[in-house]
Amino acid sequence: MPAAPVATPAIQRVDGAQPQPAPAADGQGPPRRPRAREAVSGRAWRALTVASLGTVLVGFNSTATNIALDAIQESYVGATAADVGWGIAGFMVGTAAFLPLAGRLADRTGRKRMFLTGLALFALSAVASALAPTVWTLNLARVLQAVGGAAILPASLSLVLPLFPASRRTTAVGLWSAAGPLAAGIAPGVAAVVLGAAGWRVLYFVSAPVAALMFVVAWRVLTELPTPEISHRLDVTGAAAGTVGLAALVTAIMQGSRVWGWTSPVTLAVAAVGVGAFAWFVTSSLRHPEPLLNLQLLRRRGVWVTQLANFLVGVSSQAIWLIWPLFMFNFWQYSENQVGLGVTVGPIVAGASTVFFSRLGERWSAITLCRTGAAIQIMAIGWQVVRLGTQADYLREMAPTIALFGLGWGMCVPLLNSVALAWVDESYFGEVSGLFNTLRYAASAIGIAGLFALLKQDSGEGALVYYQHVLVFFLVFAIAAFASLWIPIGRSDRSSR
């Protein structure tokens, strides 16, 4: 993610269009994109493939063990469901917390180097997870894996986007943005096969040889980009504050419901620490000469609206892939293979809709597609709130929700980042994408924390009401995301011509 330019020419031209004023130091400037769809080199497609596979590795490991929670809990004496749940929430918290720092380090040390470092950490943490002797060493290994994932994500897109012409970047960003979450959706199905054959430790271990192979391929395919001259120190205090703030808020949500109580002094104190640390992080990001997250970019309405929607959608987009396997496995008593196959319809639909609508977004209004996708997600979750019952009926109660949610997700989430990028200069692509992914993983951590806080009973008589509480929680955020997308963002780059 290149640093903000100190000075830029007064006039820039784009494919013969009328002269446009250069962007301001905060990334503002007239959004623009060539009207003609230009050819993409084979090198660009190969780089996109490698970078997307990196996000696939991260996405797969974010949900692969969702249907193995019971097996993990049983293998550790005295472990509770919340203890095991921290392995999932910790992965999201760690990824969100280290993403901004990893992006800045990539600026200083090189994007390719950071991408390769992330793959190496991922391989090591996969082995550590597979060999973990206690549930808390497993959770710590997952945090290390999150650090590796945080190194992979921002560097990968920054290595790819400069290779694509501006008219084709909507497709590139859409496919890259979709790769990780789609892998997260497919993961339970693949995990069911591995679990049935070898157990949960092997499920963690398989990422090690995959990451090692990707390291070799990335070394040969990707090309290092020049790093900008940087004269300021990293915002270390801001990084610490952001990490503490997110971890404290997630802890207050998860432990406040199951252990301490919502109104206990401990819960309130931890929540206060989270709020205070987050306020410190925001203040530091606004004042520091080289912030971890360039919050000045939020002065562009097109950026802050899409980032707000990204956060609201993100609360349910990741966590919902956990509630479905838990319900089918623990409440409907489905086998691991049945659960894996049952959720796979969502990624299939989402993948097809992502490819189709990312290309369509180059010609039609991307924000309109995002609104439509958000509305479909509301329909999907609302259908399940009304229909979900005690009798196992996959075709009428589960399949429509999973398929519709996948369709809406493919229309909305991958395009949100493209809409934000269309409103800033190319120099800020890395920073906007870093902000996008940080918010997405932070929202995922909060969504998973909310799930475990509300799901006080996951099986047996009386558990249905708790699953409904979780679904209503997701529905509220889906409605808020849809509403946020109707905040006017001004003329698009097409109409501004």
Side-chain angles (χ1 to χ4, degrees):
M1 296 183 294
V6 176
T8 54
I11 297 294
Q12 298 179 353
R13 299 182 65 87
V14 182
D15 286 357
Q18 292 299 315
Q20 305 273 2
D26 62 356
Q28 298 190 39
R32 57 195 185 280
R33 184 169 54 194
R35 285 171 286 185
R37 294 178 73 241
E38 303 162 77
V40 179
S41 66
R43 175 192 172 196
W45 288 119
R46 288 192 295 271
L48 177 61
T49 300
V50 173
S52 297
L53 287 175
T55 65
V56 165
L57 188 65
V58 178
F60 180 88
N61 280 271
S62 67
T63 61
T65 55
N66 284 1
I67 63 174
L69 297 182
D70 287 345
I72 296 174
Q73 183 179 349
E74 291 171 3
S75 65
Y76 294 117
V77 178
T80 66
D83 294 337
V84 178
W86 266 109
I88 301 175
F91 184 88
M92 300 299 174
V93 171
T95 305
F98 286 102
L99 262 173
L101 181 60
R104 287 307 187 193
L105 288 174
D107 286 343
R108 292 169 178 263
T109 64
R111 285 94 177 164
K112 180 179 178 179
R113 181 177 297 178
M114 183 58 62
F115 187 78
L116 294 175
T117 300
L119 290 173
L121 286 175
F122 222 88
L124 291 174
S125 61
V127 175
S129 298
L131 300 177
T134 69
V135 66
W136 288 109
T137 54
L138 172 61
N139 292 343
L140 289 174
R142 292 284 284 166
V143 173
L144 177 62
Q145 198 167 56
V147 175
I152 290 171
L153 292 175
S156 61
L157 188 60
S158 296
L159 285 167
V160 169
L161 273 187
L163 303 178
F164 277 78
S167 63
R168 306 301 302 276
R169 284 174 181 158
T170 297
T171 296
V173 173
L175 294 176
W176 179 89
S177 300
L182 290 180
I186 295 172
V190 178
V193 177
V194 177
L195 284 170
W200 69 266
R201 292 186 183 273
V202 174
L203 180 60
Y204 277 121
F205 180 78
V206 294
S207 293
V210 173
L213 177 61
M214 287 185 58
F215 184 98
V216 175
V217 175
W219 181 276
R220 300 185 62 180
V221 172
L222 298 178
T223 303
E224 185 62 273
L225 298 176
T227 56
E229 294 184 6
I230 300 174
S231 58
H232 302 290
R233 293 182 178 180
L234 286 172
D235 184 10
V236 178
T237 57
T243 303
V244 171
L246 181 58
L249 289 175
V250 171
T251 300
I253 294 172
M254 291 185 67
Q255 300 296 103
S257 171
R258 290 176 172 264
V259 182
W260 301 329
W262 289 118
T263 59
S264 73
V266 178
T267 301
L268 296 177
V270 172
V273 169
V275 172
F278 180 73
W280 183 5
F281 172 75
V282 171
T283 302
S284 181
S285 297
L286 291 173
R287 293 179 177 178
H288 199 276
E290 191 185 335
L292 295 176
L293 289 181
N294 186 357
L295 300 184
Q296 298 292 342
L297 293 169
L298 296 178
R299 292 182 177 181
R300 288 302 302 251
R301 183 173 293 189
V303 175
W304 74 257
V305 169
T306 52
Q307 300 298 353
L308 173 61
N310 169 44
F311 178 84
L312 294 172
V313 170
V315 170
S316 63
S317 288
Q318 195 83 6
I320 203 165
W321 295 102
L322 175 58
I323 195 67
W324 291 331
L326 284 174
F327 184 85
M328 288 189 283
F329 186 77
N330 292 318
F331 198 79
W332 280 355
Q333 302 298 308
Y334 276 21
S335 68
E336 291 171 346
N337 288 333
Q338 286 176 315
V339 172
L341 291 173
V343 299
T344 302
V345 63
I348 292 175
V349 174
S353 64
T354 295
V355 174
F356 177 77
F357 291 111
S358 291
R359 293 180 64 87
L360 192 63
E362 294 175 351
R363 298 176 174 85
W364 288 15
S365 169
I367 193 67
T368 300
L369 294 175
C370 291
R371 291 167 181 163
T372 306
I376 292 175
Q377 287 182 305
I378 293 174
M379 293 171 55
I381 302 174
W383 172 272
Q384 198 160 64
V385 169
V386 174
R387 294 286 307 180
L388 199 62
T390 57
Q391 296 298 318
D393 191 349
Y394 174 80
L395 292 179
R396 286 190 291 184
E397 296 183 7
M398 191 65 68
T401 292
I402 296 175
L404 278 175
F405 192 88
L407 175 64
W409 188 94
M411 292 181 68
C412 179
V413 177
L415 288 175
L416 282 174
N417 202 19
S418 300
V419 174
L421 290 173
W423 291 87
V424 299
D425 183 74
E426 181 177 330
S427 300
Y428 298 91
F429 279 179
E431 294 176 71
V432 171
S433 295
L435 181 62
F436 183 88
N437 283 292
T438 298
L439 289 175
R440 182 162 65 88
Y441 276 93
S444 296
I446 292 173
I448 291 171
L451 185 156
F452 280 103
L454 295 171
L455 193 63
K456 298 180 179 180
Q457 180 181 340
D458 60 12
S459 62
E461 186 177 354
L464 180 62
V465 65
Y466 294 109
Y467 282 101
Q468 290 174 331
H469 289 168
V470 175
L471 290 170
V472 170
F473 170 70
F474 291 156
L475 182 61
V476 168
F477 276 93
I479 293 172
F482 174 75
S484 70
L485 287 169
W486 287 94
I487 299 173
I489 61 175
R491 294 180 299 172
S492 70
D493 54 343
R494 297 183 190 281
S495 61
S496 66
R497 290 188 181 281

